[in-house]
Amino acid sequence: MSQLNSKLLAQQPKEIQRLINYTDALVRSGSQIEDRYWQGLTAQLLDKLYSGRRNTAVEQTLELLGSQQQNQHYEILMELAESHAECQQIEHDGVLYDALLFSAPLTAWTRYQLPQGVLKPQQHKELEEALRATVLAEGTMCALLPNLVNYDEMPQTYQQAYAWTRSLTAQALGRSQEPAPLNKPEEASSLLADARFLIGVVMAPVGQPLFRWQQSSDNLQADHLRWVEQWVERYSAIVTPLFTGCQLQFLAPNAYYGNNRESDREIRPLALKAGITWLQTAVKLSPDHLRAAIVACGEEQVEEYRVGFSTISSPTVIYGCIWPVLSQEEAESSFHSDDHIDIPDVIAALLSTLGLVQIQRLPGLHSTETCDDCNAPFFPDINGEMQHPELPDEIDLDPVQLH
């Protein structure tokens, strides 16, 4: 098998071996007909794994492929795993339907504290009506989660996302009113920048459009933009009162996993902006009196960049931000080449536009170290020493909540 350690593969459970074998067959396939054959077998196995007892077989397989630097295998399996979790077909009253788990995210930043996004029943009804009037194709069925949710409440595995799709599909068909299960974080998030997601399932008979822009026949791009603008206008009017003191950006409704990644991209610069704004307010220092150190962190490859902030008069780290890596291309960006985006340069340029003058890029790959007591991540000082961020005693660490 292509470059994958055969001894390592033989040590894996049968489900993982089969997933890897099917993925390898797809890599070697030379036609769409053969692709469909292997994709069908993979789908059958994924359905068995997602419908069975609690397991993380798919996540373990992806981790194994990543550790063996099998990038093509990794991308193929991830795409199939996501698609099978968020897309399902179900028969109802003799009609076969396509069902898609989708999200309509908003990203928000504030110098205070972000609200959780609890909707009143009337707001929930208005959001569903707005979706039907703007982006959902005529004749579709839809069901939404009762509230906006954050990352901590959302599925942490493909199996959990699959369960959400099934639960919301049953609600859309009127078969069940059982709510989709949410993860319950141990404590409420106090992030200054984050995303909130309106989650739902949209259904249509197989072969029929799910979204209005699929019904267009002339200028597809202009029609897509028009429907999305109408949705954002109504979405904003309904939810903005929930986010007093926050700056909001709205993303177009789209498939669940794709919008997760798009939201991550949107949040990264917002987190830096929110952090510096808060430090300027809380510590009473202008950005030109702060300095930042940027370091790549990960175990075998870059998983994230950590930015530690300190004052120009002290090496003590007082605050930190994480810039997660979202693709293999970004993971390789620390090895500068013309073919890759240099993420530390992107971060440094953004910090510069926010008013920081002293910005230090640190070499090497550091561990993703966290505090043993509170699980908080460590951040670099200008010498590359990873520290627990500590604000001066007279500063209140918790952002103010206006809601």
Side-chain angles (χ1 to χ4, degrees):
M1 158 168 212
S2 53
Q3 304 301 316
L4 191 66
N5 188 315
S6 57
K7 290 185 179 179
L8 183 61
L9 178 61
Q11 297 170 3
Q12 305 306 315
K14 290 183 178 179
E15 291 84 357
I16 292 179
Q17 291 185 37
R18 289 173 64 193
L19 281 173
I20 292 177
N21 282 325
Y22 293 157
T23 305
D24 189 63
L26 279 163
V27 170
R28 290 184 281 103
S29 171
S31 70
Q32 289 187 354
I33 293 175
E34 186 180 352
D35 284 353
R36 288 195 294 268
Y37 175 80
W38 296 118
Q39 288 167 357
L41 290 179
T42 307
Q44 291 177 24
L45 179 54
L46 289 172
D47 192 62
K48 177 182 176 183
L49 291 170
Y50 291 166
S51 302
R53 293 180 299 177
R54 183 176 179 180
N55 70 83
T56 57
V58 177
E59 288 78 9
Q60 292 176 50
T61 306
L62 288 169
E63 183 177 353
L64 177 62
L65 291 171
S67 69
Q68 296 294 301
Q69 298 183 336
Q70 299 297 303
N71 297 336
Q72 190 175 5
H73 294 71
Y74 183 97
E75 294 294 335
I76 288 173
L77 180 57
M78 184 176 70
E79 182 178 352
L80 291 172
E82 290 182 356
S83 177
H84 201 70
E86 69 187 9
C87 305
Q88 295 178 21
Q89 288 190 344
I90 187 168
E91 187 175 348
H92 180 68
D93 289 343
V95 179
L96 187 62
Y97 287 87
D98 280 324
L100 174 68
L101 183 68
F102 72 92
S103 72
L106 65 87
T107 57
W109 76 273
T110 181
R111 59 178 179 167
Y112 304 105
Q113 182 172 336
L114 292 178
Q116 291 304 305
V118 177
L119 299 172
K120 296 178 181 178
Q122 181 61 29
Q123 291 170 318
H124 181 272
K125 180 181 178 181
E126 290 173 355
L127 285 171
E128 183 172 339
E129 291 173 349
L131 280 167
R132 294 185 185 280
T134 57
V135 296
L136 298 187
E138 296 179 8
T140 55
M141 292 183 286
C142 175
L144 301 175
L145 290 183
N147 293 303
L148 305 181
V149 294
N150 60 41
Y151 285 111
D152 291 337
E153 297 172 300
M154 290 160 66
Q156 306 301 308
T157 67
Y158 294 114
Q159 189 179 35
Q160 291 175 353
Y162 179 86
W164 267 25
T165 307
R166 290 180 65 87
S167 174
L168 286 166
T169 297
Q171 292 179 44
L173 292 172
R175 293 179 175 179
S176 171
Q177 294 303 315
E178 186 73 21
L182 300 182
N183 288 312
K184 296 182 179 180
E186 293 182 1
E187 57 184 37
S189 171
S190 60
L191 295 175
L192 299 171
D194 204 358
R196 297 292 182 264
F197 297 84
L198 179 67
I199 304 287
V201 155
V202 57
M203 299 179 60
V206 171
Q208 297 299 309
L210 296 172
F211 298 107
R212 283 187 183 254
W213 50 80
Q214 293 176 267
Q215 298 174 305
S216 302
S217 57
D218 298 323
N219 194 330
L220 299 180
Q221 184 175 4
D223 285 344
H224 182 278
L225 181 61
R226 175 168 57 91
W227 291 120
V228 170
E229 286 177 344
Q230 290 183 20
W231 158 248
V232 169
E233 182 179 354
R234 295 186 63 166
Y235 192 15
S236 175
I238 296 167
V239 303
T240 295
L242 300 175
F243 292 88
T244 305
C246 301
Q247 299 292 319
L248 303 180
Q249 295 180 3
F250 298 89
L251 280 69
N254 212 332
Y256 176 80
Y257 281 105
N259 257 359
N260 281 4
R261 283 188 289 273
E262 193 61 31
S263 299
D264 283 336
R265 292 187 184 94
E266 293 286 332
I267 288 170
R268 295 186 302 188
L270 295 181
L272 288 174
K273 186 174 183 179
I276 291 172
T277 302
W278 180 62
L279 282 172
Q280 187 175 0
T281 303
V283 189
K284 308 300 182 185
L285 285 173
S286 61
D288 61 339
H289 283 77
L290 294 169
R291 56 184 173 184
I294 306 167
V295 69
C297 294
E299 299 308 320
E300 297 183 0
Q301 65 176 9
V302 182
E303 299 172 13
E304 62 192 27
Y305 292 91
R306 295 190 183 182
V307 185
F309 295 96
S310 60
T311 66
I312 58 175
S313 60
S314 170
T316 301
V317 176
I318 61 174
Y319 191 76
C321 286
I322 293 178
W323 185 288
V325 164
L326 302 178
S327 68
Q328 190 64 31
E329 180 182 13
E330 290 187 354
E332 296 169 353
S333 65
S334 57
F335 306 102
H336 186 73
S337 75
D338 294 337
D339 296 329
H340 295 119
I341 303 167
D342 193 303
I343 297 300
D345 275 357
V346 172
I347 297 172
L350 177 58
L351 292 172
S352 180
T353 64
L354 294 173
L356 269 74
V357 177
Q358 298 190 29
I359 303 167
Q360 183 72 38
R361 287 184 49 167
L362 302 172
L365 183 65
H366 294 238
S367 69
T368 52
E369 188 175 0
T370 59
C371 176
D372 292 336
D373 295 327
C374 68
N375 258 348
F378 285 9
F379 294 93
D381 66 11
I382 58 170
N383 299 313
E385 180 184 346
M386 302 298 283
Q387 298 185 19
H388 193 303
E390 298 287 348
L391 281 173
D393 292 338
E394 64 272 16
I395 301 300
D396 182 8
L397 181 62
D398 293 324
V400 176
Q401 186 168 358
L402 293 182
H403 318 282

